[in-house]
Amino acid sequence: MYRKATMALAVAAALGLPHAATAQTQDDLRTLREQVRQLDRRVTDAEQAAIQASSRPASESAMNPAVSVILNGIYSNLSQDPNTFRINGFAPTLGDVGPGVRGFSLGESELALAANIDHHFRGTLIASISPEDTIGVEEGYIQTLSLSYGFTIKAGRFFSAVGYQNQIHAHAWDFTDAPLANKVFLGNQLNEDGIQLKWVAPTSLYWDVGVEAGRGRQFPAGPAGGRNKNGVSSGNVFTHIGGDFGTGTAWQTGLSYLSTSPQDRTFDDLDSTGTGTIVTNSFSGTSRLWVLDGILKWAPNYNPTYTNFKLQGEFFRRKENGNLTYDTTAASLGTQTGGFTSAQSGFYLQGVYQFVPMWRVGYRYDRLNAGTASNGLVDSGALTAADFPILAKYTPTRHTVMVDWSPSEFSRVRLQAASDKSRSDVTDHQVFVQYIVSLGAHGAHKF
């Protein structure tokens, strides 16, 4: 097409020459024809280059992955030995729920890669580097880009949409550690191997509905690593609704229902012989968790640069029913199994206020309720309640305050203090100094 246009212009120019041009020498005509041929060649080369560029693999184009690194350093001053940390009234969660080590440490850091794969899919990989120098995959999934009517599908490993806090990476938390409720009900943070389907409604208010199916790779499903079975071992149904009101306030509330089927979910406890023997117990049955979450954000004229306030809270309620096996390795009084049911709850409420640019203060209150439990081994007289000290009824609480300074969107320094009454016999007075820095491109955080 370009070649024909070029020749047409050349012919038109030749026909339009004044009669004096006919007196030009043959050399002048040959020069004109050569110029036309060179122009035609350049157009042809440009066409071929465009065709080759459109057929190159995406890896050779501008679709390179965004790469970022999050560094997280912590200094911890703890009045109680973190190696003996426990949350009385609740079975250990097999997750990293303790306050960490004393003194200086490199907290959990992240390496993230994300890019559009093509016009149908986007891929994300986030690797976590623990203080113990182990590397794991926090999230690694593909997500659809081209589904219609507000639907998206995510498949791989991802943070479950159960509650609000669970979906946020640790470096974006407003406090150094997770709420106690997230520790005991989700093992600190639940990331699942599975698939998620979500629909966002075409309404003036934000409204989404979603469902997840997973293999139950970690607490509360258990055992660690997931069950050796086909099919689904964990399911979550969730919905969120939110909107704006006034001249600077936004809100969102959500409801989640997580259903799992633990099989031989183990935890360690002490026996009642007075010898300090550690016994390994296990639970098999069903676990049902409901989470109600809410968040309110305020900023004058929706501009959070100078001042803003965020109020966040969640309420958890869990019911479990099944069998509890005592001393699975016969280390003390012998292996015994009986029925077990429990109903437990907990909540946290936190507020964070930016009073001047770059400076924020915050307060969080945690409270758990061990609730009621029926232990068949104790009810029948086969064992006593003293054989299950970790399950003794208790109401853990914690008060936390923090102040942080963020000179830019890529760095933050935080001072945090807490009075932690997770253990029934002592109070742990905790002080943390933390820095969080981001190197490279990093995506936007959740609302």
Side-chain angles (χ1 to χ4, degrees):
M1 181 178 70
Y2 291 110
R3 187 180 299 110
K4 291 179 180 179
T6 302
M7 294 301 296
L9 289 173
V11 171
L15 293 176
L17 289 174
H19 293 291
T22 59
Q24 289 181 328
T25 65
Q26 291 297 321
D27 291 340
D28 292 335
L29 292 176
R30 282 195 295 270
T31 300
L32 179 60
R33 284 194 289 268
E34 180 62 25
Q35 290 174 347
V36 171
R37 282 195 293 269
Q38 290 177 2
L39 178 61
D40 185 53
R41 189 180 302 113
R42 287 196 294 268
V43 172
T44 301
D45 291 344
E47 289 177 336
Q48 293 299 320
I51 294 172
Q52 292 174 5
S54 64
S55 63
R56 287 175 184 163
S59 60
E60 298 180 16
S61 69
M63 296 175 63
N64 294 316
V67 181
S68 67
V69 175
I70 304 295
L71 298 180
N72 174 18
I74 301 176
Y75 171 78
S76 304
N77 188 300
L78 311 170
S79 65
Q80 302 299 323
D81 185 355
N83 294 322
T84 61
F85 178 82
R86 62 185 182 277
I87 302 177
N88 278 110
F90 296 82
T93 58
L94 307 181
D96 184 17
V97 302
V101 299
R102 284 168 161 164
F104 293 98
S105 67
L106 179 64
E108 184 176 275
S109 301
E110 294 181 0
L111 172 63
L113 298 91
N116 287 355
I117 300 167
D118 50 34
H119 60 290
H120 290 302
F121 298 102
R122 179 173 177 80
T124 299
L125 174 66
I126 301 178
S128 63
I129 306 170
S130 74
E132 293 77 27
D133 298 329
T134 60
I135 299 177
V137 176
E138 263 192 356
E139 293 193 284
Y141 59 85
I142 60 171
Q143 190 170 15
T144 59
L145 298 174
S146 57
L147 296 186
S148 303
Y149 306 107
F151 285 95
T152 57
I153 295 176
K154 183 187 294 186
R157 177 174 299 176
F158 49 86
F159 284 131
S160 173
V162 53
Y164 178 82
Q165 176 90 5
N166 191 76
Q167 303 175 67
I168 303 175
H169 286 265
H171 69 267
W173 292 350
D174 291 315
F175 293 82
T176 299
D177 50 4
L180 293 181
N182 289 74
K183 292 175 181 288
V184 300
F185 295 120
L186 297 174
N188 208 53
Q189 196 164 22
L190 174 62
N191 59 350
E192 185 61 281
D193 288 357
I195 188 169
Q196 179 194 88
L197 172 65
K198 186 169 75 172
W199 172 69
V200 178
T203 57
S204 57
L205 287 178
Y206 176 82
W207 178 36
D208 70 39
V209 179
V211 60
E212 298 171 349
R215 70 182 184 94
R217 62 176 296 270
Q218 64 179 61
F219 186 92
R227 294 176 58 182
N228 182 21
K229 60 167 288 187
N230 296 317
V232 175
S233 296
S234 175
N236 178 43
V237 180
F238 62 89
T239 183
H240 301 91
I241 187 170
D244 302 330
F245 63 86
T247 59
T249 305
W251 62 275
Q252 178 181 288
T253 185
L255 181 65
S256 311
Y257 172 68
L258 176 67
S259 174
T260 62
S261 301
Q263 186 69 37
D264 298 325
R265 189 182 73 196
T266 62
F267 67 94
D268 292 337
D269 207 347
L270 294 175
D271 67 1
S272 60
T273 62
T275 60
T277 302
I278 295 177
V279 297
T280 300
N281 305 328
S282 70
F283 171 77
S284 298
T286 61
S287 179
R288 307 288 184 263
L289 175 68
W290 293 263
V291 184
L292 176 65
D293 64 83
I295 182 169
L296 183 73
K297 293 184 177 182
W298 170 84
N301 298 317
Y302 295 104
N303 181 5
T305 304
Y306 295 96
T307 60
N308 62 77
F309 176 72
K310 179 165 64 173
L311 182 66
Q312 174 185 327
E314 297 183 70
F315 175 80
F316 297 71
R317 180 169 177 80
R318 180 179 66 190
K319 290 186 177 181
E320 294 191 325
N321 181 39
N323 291 314
L324 180 65
T325 300
Y326 173 82
D327 195 11
T328 58
T329 61
S332 178
L333 302 177
T335 302
Q336 304 179 62
T337 300
F340 182 83
T341 61
S342 68
Q344 301 177 309
S345 62
F347 74 91
Y348 74 89
L349 184 66
Q350 66 185 48
V352 177
Y353 177 54
Q354 179 176 300
F355 55 96
V356 294
M358 300 184 292
W359 287 91
R360 307 188 311 165
V361 294
Y363 168 76
R364 180 178 66 195
Y365 177 67
D366 298 89
R367 185 180 182 88
L368 302 175
N369 184 350
T372 58
S374 175
N375 189 336
L377 292 174
V378 175
D379 295 341
S380 66
L383 296 170
T384 68
D387 290 306
F388 301 91
I390 195 68
L391 300 181
K393 189 171 182 179
Y394 181 60
T395 304
T397 60
R398 183 175 60 173
H399 298 270
T400 307
V401 294
M402 76 84 184
V403 57
D404 62 29
W405 173 58
S406 303
S408 74
E409 60 181 307
F410 303 105
S411 61
R412 173 168 290 166
V413 179
R414 174 181 292 136
L415 173 64
Q416 176 174 310
S419 175
D420 188 347
K421 298 183 179 180
S422 295
R423 288 171 267 203
S424 58
D425 53 343
V426 294
T427 299
D428 190 9
H429 299 287
Q430 306 169 345
V431 177
F432 301 101
V433 181
Q434 179 185 25
Y435 70 79
I436 305 170
V437 297
S438 175
L439 290 71
H442 193 77
H445 295 142
K446 179 179 172 57
F447 170 83

